[in-house]
Amino acid sequence: MRLDDDDFSLFGLPQRFAQDAVDIEARWKALAAKVHPDKFAAEGASAQRQAMQWALRVNEAHQRLRDPQKRAGYLCELRGAALQANENTSMPAAFLMEQMEWREALDEASGAAAIEALDEQVLARERGLLAEAGQLLDEKNDPAEAAKRVRALMFVARFRADIDKRLDALGH
């Protein structure tokens, strides 16, 4: 185990999108217990600092591996397809039209039921994009196309956050 191992190697997992969430959690708990700084209290400040580095590294890897969108993006990066989320914001016209329709629907929604129905629609689209990204990564080995899905997922996640804010404002 080395600090510069990729997240999958660190967790002893195959480098693929499809993962068992329960397995990820179990491996994280085992690793976190193994490198917890309190276990190194008797070994001095240097050992504790190194344990802290390990604990941070394990927690960062856990955050990426447990979230399917982050895991997909990380795999794209590992396979040479940088997301360039800030530089590359171009999206297909059909996707942009869908986004505009969702925005209009959210603006026009008069109550929680309408907003929740929209959220279900957006959630279904999110799940579809995740499935496409997973297939592109695990079956077709096409990280460049998968990166496009991940960028689309980022748009969808921001929109779902707006839906949540709107529902919170209504007390739901």
Side-chain angles (χ1 to χ4, degrees), residues 27-119:
R27 290 170 188 259
W28 169 66
K29 286 178 183 176
L31 281 171
K34 185 178 178 180
V35 300
H36 196 282
D38 289 349
K39 290 184 78 166
F40 300 88
E43 296 185 32
S46 176
Q48 278 193 306
R49 274 193 303 278
Q50 188 173 18
M52 182 63 76
Q53 284 181 310
W54 272 106
L56 287 170
R57 175 69 183 94
V58 165
N59 287 330
E60 287 173 352
H62 176 247
Q63 293 300 315
R64 274 189 295 268
L65 292 176
R66 74 180 193 157
D67 181 299
Q69 179 183 325
K70 290 178 184 176
R71 184 170 60 243
Y74 182 63
L75 275 168
C76 290
E77 299 274 346
L78 284 177
R79 294 179 184 175
L83 291 180
Q84 299 173 323
N86 294 326
E87 300 86 33
N88 185 354
T89 57
S90 65
M91 289 286 143
F95 181 78
L96 295 175
M97 288 300 298
E98 183 180 45
Q99 293 280 305
M100 287 176 26
E101 289 168 6
W102 289 348
R103 290 268 168 217
E104 288 175 12
L106 183 59
D107 289 344
E108 294 170 2
S110 58
I115 297 169
E116 288 169 349
L118 176 61
D119 190 41

Side-chain angles (χ1 to χ4, degrees), residues 105-111 115 161-172:
L106 183 59
D107 289 344
E108 294 170 2
S110 58
I115 297 169
D162 291 345
I163 289 173
D164 287 343
K165 286 178 194 171
R166 186 80 186 278
L167 286 170
D168 286 346
L170 294 173
H172 282 60

